[in-house]
Amino acid sequence: MEIQEDVRAESVKSDKTLFLQKAELDMLVEFVRICDKCHLKYFMAGGTFLGAVRHKGFIPWDDDVDIGMYRKDYEKFLEIAEKELTYPYKIQTYKNCKSHHYYFSHIVDTRYKVRRLGSIDKREEYVWIDIFPYDGLPRGFFKEIITYLRLLFYRFCYHMANYDKINMERKDRAVWQKALLKLLFLLQKIIHFDKEKWINKIDKNLRSIDLEESDKIMSFMGVKLSKEIFPKEIYMSLKKYKFENLLLWGPQDYDYVLKQLYGNYMTLPPKENRILHPMQIVECEKKCNL
């Protein structure tokens, strides 16, 4: 399959894009070093995997990195990351950093900060890459549905508790998601939701599902929701793909994964949707010349 439009001919990147992608690529090198040293499995996810297949690296207008890990490897990585990560990198989780409101983890570069502009809270965060745990679902149709619906309810309450941090400017949100955000806006004004309570419920329930005893695998906190649920065997067979100057693991059946996530994934989005996350670089240890 080929890209239906030659994006490489028009992929002149802004200084901000180049800076962010360079910083993220350096973090990827450090992450892979630790995984190789400690024999931990990982794989590209989301737009990073799409970029590897379609562009052999970053999507030209993209500014983040998504990595997935099986739950056991993810937990082992969190255990060793604080010791293994070298300056300027750190691991951030909702357990070790009060300002980290995400369930999944970040590796951050503490030299650089950005200001997030797409949400009500114009907060500052270190430049990061996302590390997602991949979990199973119980066997049996009714158990699977009940478990997933319960988790969705917990996720809804979790997002209610963090409403001011939701990116309202995502171009790829479905119409029903935009409508739900409007409902959340009304509800969060009259109902208090405890962030710690709901994120702990998500964590407890996801941890209780043994991936080895499951026929499904999912990135529950992924933006694509149920599209992030796959037959487990799809993610058990991995191979390496070129990503910029690296070779990174990804599912061998890339076509299955990317079609489920993105549909006709080799067709580029409209030019008006080829934009970065709304953010500003606000702090550098060394002058960024931006």
Side-chain angles (χ1 to χ4, degrees):
M1 299 177 69
E2 296 184 355
I3 303 175
Q4 293 185 7
E5 176 184 336
D6 188 5
V7 72
R8 297 175 186 86
E10 62 168 41
S11 60
V12 178
K13 301 178 182 181
S14 69
D15 287 344
K16 183 174 78 168
T17 310
L18 285 169
F19 171 75
L20 290 172
Q21 290 183 354
K22 173 62 167 60
E24 291 158 2
L25 197 62
D26 289 344
M27 280 186 273
L28 262 177
V29 170
E30 179 71 356
F31 169 76
V32 170
R33 178 190 71 80
I34 295 172
C35 288
D36 289 347
K37 174 183 177 181
C38 300
H39 308 290
L40 301 177
K41 293 182 179 179
Y42 70 88
F43 39 86
M44 293 177 287
T48 301
F49 190 38
L50 174 60
V53 172
R54 195 171 69 188
H55 305 276
K56 311 301 181 187
F58 285 102
I59 296 172
W61 55 90
D62 199 10
D63 59 359
D64 67 357
V65 166
D66 299 319
I67 297 293
M69 303 183 79
Y70 308 135
R71 171 62 71 169
K72 288 184 178 179
D73 292 285
Y74 176 81
E75 296 296 341
K76 289 178 183 177
F77 178 76
L78 294 187
E79 288 177 11
I80 64 176
E82 291 191 26
K83 179 181 177 181
E84 289 289 338
L85 284 169
T86 58
Y87 176 83
Y89 307 124
K90 287 185 178 181
I91 187 73
Q92 277 192 351
T93 72
Y94 75 92
K95 294 181 179 180
N96 73 2
C97 179
K98 288 185 177 180
S99 64
H100 185 88
H101 70 280
Y102 310 94
Y103 174 67
F104 50 90
S105 304
H106 283 171
I107 296 175
V108 300
D109 187 328
T110 59
R111 295 171 298 177
Y112 312 123
K113 283 186 176 181
V114 296
R115 180 177 293 114
R116 304 294 295 265
L117 303 177
S119 58
I120 296 171
D121 178 14
K122 304 298 188 286
R123 63 196 182 280
E124 294 182 5
E125 297 179 351
Y126 291 123
V127 174
W128 73 93
I129 63 174
D130 294 328
I131 313 294
F132 290 87
Y134 273 60
D135 295 288
L137 280 169
R139 288 190 176 119
F141 177 78
F142 290 108
K143 283 186 178 180
E144 177 183 323
I145 293 298
I146 290 170
T147 299
Y148 189 68
L149 289 177
R150 181 171 63 245
L151 283 165
L152 283 179
F153 174 71
Y154 294 160
R155 176 172 168 153
F156 170 83
C157 294
Y158 160 77
H159 283 309
M160 287 292 293
N162 293 281
Y163 181 82
D164 62 335
K165 296 178 175 63
I166 297 174
N167 182 0
M168 304 297 186
E169 298 185 16
R170 287 191 70 99
K171 297 291 186 180
D172 56 351
R173 288 195 190 278
V175 173
W176 71 266
Q177 290 179 325
K178 294 177 181 178
L180 180 59
L181 284 177
K182 293 180 179 179
L183 175 61
L184 292 181
F185 177 73
L186 297 174
L187 288 177
Q188 58 87 28
K189 290 180 174 293
I190 57 177
I191 304 175
H192 172 71
F193 289 83
D194 185 327
K195 170 190 170 182
E196 185 174 352
K197 172 183 175 180
W198 296 109
I199 203 169
N200 285 333
K201 280 184 175 291
I202 291 172
D203 186 58
K204 180 180 178 180
N205 277 260
L206 288 176
R207 285 169 176 267
S208 71
I209 307 168
D210 188 347
L211 181 57
E212 293 181 1
E213 298 298 321
S214 177
D215 296 326
K216 302 284 183 66
I217 188 170
M218 66 174 177
S219 173
F220 176 67
M221 297 307 292
V223 70
K224 297 291 186 178
L225 297 173
S226 62
K227 288 184 178 181
E228 309 253 10
I229 302 174
F230 291 88
K232 187 173 70 174
E233 62 267 20
I234 293 294
Y235 275 85
M236 295 296 109
S237 181
L238 306 175
K239 73 173 187 178
K240 285 193 172 180
Y241 296 81
K242 179 176 173 58
F243 187 87
E244 301 296 337
N245 61 339
L246 303 177
L247 287 175
L248 302 178
W249 292 104
Q252 183 167 324
D253 194 347
Y254 67 87
D255 189 58
Y256 187 110
V257 172
L258 295 177
K259 274 184 178 176
Q260 180 165 311
L261 290 175
Y262 302 105
N264 189 2
Y265 59 89
M266 295 304 283
T267 298
L268 299 176
K271 290 186 177 181
E272 61 268 21
N273 290 348
R274 302 176 199 174
I275 58 175
L276 299 171
H277 292 86
M279 65 176 71
Q280 294 175 333
I281 296 175
V282 296
E283 180 179 316
C284 297
E285 187 178 78
K286 298 179 180 179
K287 189 175 180 181
C288 300
N289 296 318
L290 297 178

